[in-house]
Amino acid sequence: MTTLSFEFATATRIVFGAGKLAEIGSLAKGFGRRALVITGGTPARAEGLLGRLHAAGVLSIPFSVVGEPTIALAAAGAAAARESACDLVIGFGGGSALDAGKAIAAFVTNSAPPLRYLEVIGEGKALEQPPLPYIAIPTTAGTGAEVTRNAVLTSPEHKVKVSLRSPLMLPRLALVDPELSYGLPPAITASTGLDALTQVVEPFVCNAPNPITDALCREGIQRGAASLREAYAKDTPRAREGMALCSVLGGLALANARLGAVHGFAAPIGGMFSAPHGAICAALLPQVMAINIAALRSRAAENPALHRYEDVARLLTGNAAAAAEDGAAWVADLVSALAVSPLASYGIGVDDLPAIVAKARDASSMRGNPLPLTDEELTEVLVRAL
């Protein structure tokens, strides 16, 4: 008989619901009066946020993030916050803006060179001081970064993405307003939505789940399955709410369980090629599911992950008799319906696969996969995703 043992941590407070952005002024002034506001590549989308902060007496210092954040950009943001004597950081945007905000809040109060704290390419040392208070406001439904304890940063010189990670980096407040995702282009809805779906599937089948993350993933899989096609086709409140909740649940799950081969590949691919994280996950998810299921059947049929893949299939399809393979097929059909681009569209070719496999094998997320995959199996995943 095994003894159950796990821990669970998340943002101090989650405020969820359509129209909740209206409350940001009163919420923010409880943390500070000078906010560095991190936005994505379209700062105009934050006008409503900035207006509400101003009305509440909170000064805003905008800082824009174009593309996925680099280590240098996070350091520059921290310098800007110090120069303006900011006592609060607010991230408003997709996963890139939210991750940048988390890193900036940490670097403001921990002034050693970033490599001291970064995993893989740095020393991976713990933060010495708590970050500035951080509020995360997602405008896409994908990464769940509003409730996670790490920030993913790109190191162009190393051609890799790495994490800055600490329990101290959990946002003090996650404000999730599904209305902020209205009007997203279909391609962004597809890639971010499939990232969200990945992040409720991988923690559910990983090698270190727990009862709390299981419950979150089950709900998230059902919400994502019921909402993503509709959100892609049109902005219905029901679909946008379903995907926003799927994203939050995925963030809660991945922060407290593990991921798997999809994210094991996504980190090195994102560092080597100009490809958005969500788009990479979208292209890989059905392939990883299919290869994992085949590997489990052939050499680890007793692994509980095989039964979990059956549960995933039943949750996705609504068919109580669905086999594990039916889930992978359902996701493959969804990826096709959402016109997801193959990896080759980002300049990835057959000659690149050995280097990707070598880097992915050592990625931290790969260690959460339900079983170790061989280099041949990892290569087959990539070949199918090309």
Side-chain angles (χ1 to χ4, degrees), residues 128-153:
E128 290 97 6
Q129 301 296 328
L132 284 185
Y134 180 56
I135 297 174
I137 308 173
T139 62
T140 63
T143 66
E146 64 272 14
V147 290
T148 61
R149 64 181 90 186
N150 72 300
V152 179
L153 302 174

Side-chain angles (χ1 to χ4, degrees), residues 195 197-209 250 253-255 257-269 277 280-281 284-285 287-289 292 305 309 359-373 378 381:
D195 186 16
L197 190 61
T198 301
Q199 291 173 174
V200 287
V201 170
E202 287 204 306
F204 188 71
V205 300
C206 79
N207 56 26
L254 74 88
R258 293 179 182 172
L259 289 165
V262 174
H263 282 81
F265 277 124
I269 291 174
H277 173 79
I280 298 169
C281 292
L284 288 169
L285 178 59
Q287 321 306 339
V288 167
M289 290 177 69
N292 269 345
Y309 269 119
K359 288 189 174 184
R361 194 191 311 112
D362 296 329
S364 59
S365 292
M366 192 66 77
R367 293 195 285 273
N369 206 56
L371 79 171
L373 296 176
L378 294 171
V381 167

Side-chain angles (χ1 to χ4, degrees), residues 103-126:
I104 288 168
F107 288 156
V108 171
T109 56
N110 294 270
S111 55
L115 286 180
R116 176 175 175 81
Y117 310 111
L118 290 165
E119 298 177 351
V120 182
I121 62 171
E123 299 176 52
K125 299 291 187 183

Side-chain angles (χ1 to χ4, degrees), residues 87-111:
D87 53 6
L88 169 65
V89 177
I90 299 175
F92 181 90
S96 293
L98 299 190
D99 274 0
K102 271 187 280 190
I104 288 168
F107 288 156
V108 171
T109 56
N110 294 270
S111 55

Side-chain angles (χ1 to χ4, degrees), residues 272-273 344 347-358 379 382-383 386:
M272 295 168 68
F273 299 90
I348 302 171
V350 173
D351 291 345
D352 299 308
L353 302 191
I356 295 172
V357 167
T379 301
L382 295 172
V383 169
L386 288 176

